[in-house]
Amino acid sequence: GVVVEIGSANVRIGFSGESTPRHILSSPFTACFPCPYDEGQHSPSFNIMDEKQWLDKLGPFFEDVFINKLLIKSTKSRRVIILEQMITPTAFRVAVARTLFETLSIASVLFVPGTSVSALLVSGKRHGLVIDIGRAEARSEASLDGHYIPQTYQSVACGYENAVRVFQRITSIPELQNSAANTKAFSDAKSVFESVTYQLGGVPLERATIDSDKKDKIFQCLLPSTGKLVNVSHSSVLLAWDNIFDSENENSLTCLLLTCLKSCPIDLRKTVASNILVIGGMASIPGLSQRLNSELLLAVSSNSTFRELRDGVVNESNLAMCQCPFARCSASWIGASILGTMELSAERWMHQSTWEKVSKSGGGSSVSSLSRLVHDWLSLAN
């Protein structure tokens, strides 16, 4: 089978049963929803497109993936697993199914919502909580016994680029202070922030302590756009990371994970809190899981909003971060690859014959007529 993970920044493609994707492509859909959060917003902001507009983009994309990238000559007997975000528009999902069935004539497709079910397969766990930290946002959801729990899905504007923007606001270097995306200042700030972070050995494990009597450590960094050397203060990078974990900041990773835990049924909270898996591009930075663990323990003691989780759920004896034997940035794809080798019931798959029957009976053109096959995942939580 073919496994396709569709992200806001990258698309990973390959074959089920393999331990790494064959290709990691820049997402051609970034312009369609460049970021689930606009700068300064607290809720998702998508560009609304109808099914026809999606079809115009998806047809050439999937033909290129199957024929040119994966070198598949005949697609008729292929099974395809699509790993997607839970908040992906239904029109997009219907357009994907229509392209695969009607243009490429594949045999069957399985849509896998979110990342918790597939990513936990990589860790060898059947239950737990997954936090996926990407370019512009972080998402968290829980699953139990191989089934995700829809009402636990949470998402905030707290990806790696958000940490860079906080650094830009803090730093006193004029060349780095334009926070608009795709500018030289933002690219330079991203490079400098990454450089200092890795010189520190990864994510700082403790919060910054500002002592006016103590001289701040200075790092010299090169601005890629100009070749100029600038002095970057140690504290500016530490404070930027502190903001990402601060439980008083509702868009922090700590708040995201604890809110996800609170949304779990009470009798399941302890179970999922004992298996927390951190994945995504930002999760590859050394020290992130350890810092998140310590911040969670601190938050349930200091923040009244999450104090109810302190007894029996988020404490040193129960809280545990899962080990990931594969690259964390590809964990969800690898999990879907494993899923593709498992004997799943036929009802989980959408088959060519079923698609033809439903599309003909519903006129074939209406998104609503096909919604019986292609679910809106978040509506299942209601």
Side-chain angles (χ1 to χ4, degrees), residues 17-36:
E18 296 187 342
S19 59
T20 56
R22 289 287 182 96
H23 299 277
I24 301 177
L25 313 172
S26 294
S27 176
F29 314 117
T30 299
C32 306
F33 26 77
C35 173

Side-chain angles (χ1 to χ4, degrees), residues 27-284:
S27 176
F29 314 117
T30 299
C32 306
F33 26 77
C35 173
Y37 293 87
D38 288 335
E39 181 70 7
Q41 287 192 343
H42 299 286
S43 58
S45 176
F46 288 109
N47 289 344
I48 304 301
M49 295 173 62
D50 58 27
E51 187 193 348
K52 184 179 183 307
Q53 290 173 303
W54 285 120
L55 285 171
D56 292 340
K57 291 182 174 293
L58 288 166
F61 169 72
F62 276 110
E63 286 181 351
D64 178 60
V65 164
F66 276 79
I67 298 170
N68 299 326
K69 298 296 190 298
L70 298 179
L71 305 178
I72 296 173
K73 293 182 179 180
S74 175
T75 59
K76 289 187 178 181
S77 62
R78 294 287 178 174
R79 300 197 308 174
V80 180
I81 294 179
I82 301 292
L83 185 63
E84 57 176 353
Q85 297 182 36
M86 288 180 64
I87 56 175
T88 300
T90 301
F92 176 82
R93 197 174 294 113
V94 170
V96 168
R98 190 183 296 280
T99 300
L100 293 174
F101 284 125
E102 298 180 9
T103 303
L104 297 172
S105 301
I106 66 159
S108 54
V109 62
L110 174 66
F111 286 95
V112 180
T115 57
S116 61
V117 174
S118 61
L120 283 171
L121 285 173
V122 174
S123 69
K125 307 292 184 181
R126 293 282 292 171
H127 56 265
L129 188 151
V130 175
I131 177 168
D132 185 356
I133 314 167
R135 172 182 63 90
E137 68 165 344
R139 301 178 295 272
S140 185
E141 62 192 66
S143 67
L144 184 75
D145 197 27
H147 299 277
Y148 84 99
I149 308 172
Q151 68 267 26
T152 64
Y153 178 83
Q154 305 291 328
S155 177
V156 295
C158 192
Y160 184 72
E161 292 185 357
N162 302 92
V164 176
R165 289 192 179 96
V166 173
F167 166 67
Q168 286 184 289
R169 291 196 293 268
I170 295 171
T171 186
S172 58
I173 302 171
E175 293 92 338
L176 302 181
Q177 291 179 335
N178 183 355
S179 63
N182 301 319
T183 63
K184 288 182 180 179
F186 183 77
S187 297
D188 284 346
K190 194 173 180 181
S191 175
V192 168
F193 184 75
E194 182 176 318
S195 174
V196 175
T197 295
Y198 276 94
Q199 286 184 67
L200 293 172
V203 176
L205 299 182
E206 297 180 352
R207 295 191 178 190
T209 54
I210 306 302
D211 187 348
S212 57
D213 296 329
K214 188 176 180 180
K215 190 175 181 180
D216 199 359
K217 189 175 181 180
I218 299 296
F219 293 90
Q220 278 203 328
C221 297
L222 190 71
L223 301 183
S225 66
T226 63
K228 178 182 177 182
L229 277 174
V230 294
N231 293 325
V232 182
S233 70
H234 177 237
S235 61
S236 63
V237 174
L238 295 185
L239 289 170
W241 280 115
D242 286 354
N243 181 269
I244 295 299
F245 294 102
D246 186 3
S247 64
E248 298 299 325
N249 170 17
E250 63 180 10
N251 280 333
S252 68
L253 298 179
T254 306
C255 276
L256 169 69
L257 203 150
L258 291 174
T259 302
C260 182
L261 271 176
K262 281 186 69 176
S263 66
C264 287
I266 293 176
D267 57 331
L268 299 182
R269 291 175 181 176
K270 182 176 181 179
T271 302
V272 299
S274 64
N275 293 308
I276 296 176
L277 178 63
V278 184
I279 65 170
M282 190 168 159
S284 302

